[in-house]
Amino acid sequence: MTLAVRVIPCLDVDAGRVVKGVNFQNLRDAGDPVEMAKVYDTEGADELTFLDITASSSDRSTTYDVVRRTAEQVFIPLTVGGGVRSTADVDNLLRAGADKVGVNTAAIARPELIKEIARRFGSQVLVLSVDARRTTDASAATPSGFEVTTHGGRRGTGIDAVEWAHRAAELGAGEILLNSMDADGTKAGYDTEMITAVRRQVTIPVIASGGAGRLADFAPAVESGADAVLAASVFHFGDLRISQVKDTLRDAGKPVR
């Protein structure tokens, strides 16, 4: 049985407000996360992803409050990421109403965290967020040509993004949120080569992120191996509707809910 392709709006949250920029720069306010979540739920989003993009400890209480208020209003799965460093953070987010938790930087620093979270809460709770970029500098090239980054794509790690996705899946990650930092916010289309490269190495679901700009961008991501398509700007600013994306995928022969 082929699983339906999920369409997922992503809310980048900063100090309790949804923001969006290009390559995580020049952020502009896009609205109240709870109100936006309600709209997306009504419009037929399959899931929602919240990323606390500043994720400082002082902001943590704001994040829990936003998650709690959102979970009370919407009934689709909610993934929350940003600043998750321990199983205690995961526990707190799940108690606040998250269904899944995204982990990124802390897992790079200590990959065992993936195993600890999966063992305690189950793999289905854990989404590994991979912020990857193409390596243009030959001296810093990785085997796949894609490198894991941190700090909103500003810092390279030297870690091969495809190998990291494979290792994370073996450690117990339930899904890979694959974000192209080169494409993020550009509306130039998903990085289908990156999706294909990761798909070849993992059997767990891959969520394509970064670059959605037109209806024509979504089907190629699925054809490249994505199980879900995530977008932010095009939904937040009304360029595209979730129903339009689903209709386009359906017309391309992709199963949607």
Side-chain angles (χ1 to χ4, degrees):
M1 186 183 83
T2 306
L3 292 175
V5 176
R6 290 167 289 149
V7 179
I8 307 174
C10 180
L11 307 178
D12 293 327
V13 180
D14 179 15
R17 297 288 292 179
V18 177
V19 294
K20 194 58 197 167
V22 177
N23 306 124
F24 287 86
Q25 307 288 315
N26 304 316
L27 300 177
R28 57 178 172 151
D29 189 280
D32 174 70
V34 182
E35 291 305 312
M36 292 177 76
K38 280 162 60 177
V39 169
Y40 290 139
D41 188 12
T42 304
E43 285 192 353
D46 297 302
E47 295 183 15
L48 284 172
T49 294
F50 270 29
L51 296 180
D52 180 351
I53 61 170
T54 44
S56 62
S57 53
S58 60
D59 228 2
R60 184 58 66 209
S61 58
T62 307
T63 303
Y64 291 142
D65 178 57
V66 168
V67 171
R68 200 171 286 113
R69 289 189 293 124
T70 303
E72 288 168 0
Q73 298 282 344
V74 305
F75 304 98
I76 52 178
L78 180 60
T79 300
V80 184
V84 175
R85 298 178 180 89
S86 66
T87 54
D89 289 337
V90 175
D91 190 48
N92 288 332
L93 283 169
L94 294 176
R95 288 176 189 276
D99 297 282
K100 298 188 246 185
V101 175
V103 180
N104 185 346
T105 309
I108 295 167
R110 198 171 68 81
E112 294 76 24
L113 179 62
I114 297 171
K115 192 179 286 185
E116 290 165 12
I117 294 170
R119 190 176 292 145
R120 180 166 170 190
F121 304 102
S123 290
Q124 78 286 348
V125 159
L126 179 56
V127 179
L128 182 81
S129 188
V130 179
D131 290 341
R133 69 182 178 198
R134 289 169 178 264
T135 50
T136 51
D137 182 356
S139 64
T142 59
S144 71
F146 300 106
E147 178 190 24
V148 175
T149 69
T150 60
H151 300 79
R154 291 187 294 280
R155 283 193 202 170
T157 61
I159 298 169
D160 186 282
V162 177
E163 289 177 4
W164 173 230
H166 180 254
R167 186 179 177 202
E170 289 189 324
L171 286 168
E175 291 187 89
I176 303 289
L177 172 52
L178 185 63
N179 189 29
S180 166
M181 300 311 295
D182 301 311
D184 182 82
T186 64
K187 300 186 182 178
Y190 293 100
D191 190 328
T192 53
E193 284 181 30
M194 184 190 290
I195 298 165
T196 301
V198 171
R199 172 80 288 156
R200 286 196 190 112
Q201 293 297 321
V202 303
T203 55
I204 61 175
V206 174
I207 304 165
S209 170
R214 303 167 303 139
L215 289 172
D217 293 333
F218 293 91
V222 177
E223 279 151 15
S224 301
D227 301 271
V229 284
L230 178 145
S233 312
V234 289
F235 292 144
H236 301 342
F237 300 114
D239 302 343
L240 302 177
R241 305 297 285 267
I242 288 160
S243 58
Q244 291 177 301
V245 173
K246 288 193 170 186
D247 287 345
T248 301
L249 287 170
R250 202 177 281 117
D251 290 345
K254 313 299 175 198
V256 292
R257 290 197 180 99

